[in-house]
Amino acid sequence: MERISWHQYFMAQSHLLALRSTCTRLAVGATIVRDKRIIAGGYNGSIAGGVHCVDEGCYVIDNHCVRTIHAEMNAILQCAKFGVPTDGAEIYVTHFPCLQCCKAIIQAGIKRVYFAKNYKNHPYAQELFKQANVQVEQVELNNALFQQLIEQ
């Protein structure tokens, strides 16, 4: 079996995290990495102990579910909660970050964003990433490698 790259490994982790999502509109996962080590992970869902979209539906205002915390924010907040620095880290996300997550990523000091799928890529988010010298790269998940694993 072919050994997967670091990008594929961390992106696979993000896709695995997305399976924990409680959002019925879009399942997103995020993995924060420093020095090739996972320091946090998150998925989009409600506050801990709160009502979830899968239970009562999405709470939509201005075409946006306000019940959920985005995967990127959950991962960043996990680092804050446990005192893990994010400065200079990388983040792997299943979908291009929204504008609010973009700003949080920049403020957290994350220097590289890898995403698998385009999703409403906001032009201002792209501009902010450039202004902050945050490298952004699309890394699609290579399903053929994972098919090999399943067949073993």
Side-chain angles (χ1 to χ4, degrees):
M1 180 173 74
E2 180 183 342
R3 185 175 186 198
I4 65 172
S5 70
W6 285 112
H7 288 314
Q8 289 295 304
Y9 173 73
F10 295 128
M11 192 58 74
Q13 294 294 323
S14 294
H15 281 277
L16 188 60
L17 282 161
L19 295 175
R20 290 280 307 151
S21 172
T22 60
C23 180
T24 57
R25 298 176 76 198
L26 182 69
V28 179
T31 304
I32 301 177
V33 175
R34 190 174 45 269
D35 300 324
K36 293 189 173 48
R37 299 289 181 261
I38 296 171
I39 59 173
Y43 52 87
N44 56 332
S46 300
I47 61 168
V51 174
H52 295 279
C53 298
V54 293
D55 300 325
E56 294 189 11
C58 291
Y59 182 11
V60 179
I61 299 176
D62 295 329
N63 201 33
H64 188 77
C65 181
V66 297
R67 187 184 310 270
T68 60
I69 302 168
H70 290 187
E72 303 93 322
M73 289 299 297
N74 266 329
I76 291 168
L77 291 169
Q78 185 181 50
C79 287
K81 183 176 181 177
F82 295 106
V84 178
T86 54
D87 197 37
E90 304 172 333
I91 190 167
Y92 289 79
V93 190
T94 56
H95 296 76
F96 189 86
C98 75
L99 182 55
Q100 297 305 316
C101 287
C102 161
K103 292 187 279 185
I105 287 166
I106 292 167
Q107 289 301 97
I110 294 170
K111 295 300 180 192
R112 284 191 165 77
V113 175
Y114 300 102
F115 69 98
K117 299 176 187 173
N118 288 303
Y119 183 75
K120 300 180 182 179
N121 300 26
H122 198 288
Y124 189 53
Q126 293 170 324
E127 181 183 326
L128 287 176
F129 280 140
K130 284 181 188 174
Q131 285 179 19
N133 294 318
V134 173
Q135 304 299 310
V136 179
E137 181 181 334
Q138 187 169 15
V139 175
E140 295 181 32
L141 186 63
N142 183 341
N143 291 326
L145 293 174
F146 295 97
Q147 189 61 39
Q148 289 177 15
L149 180 63
I150 293 168
E151 292 172 357
Q152 284 192 344

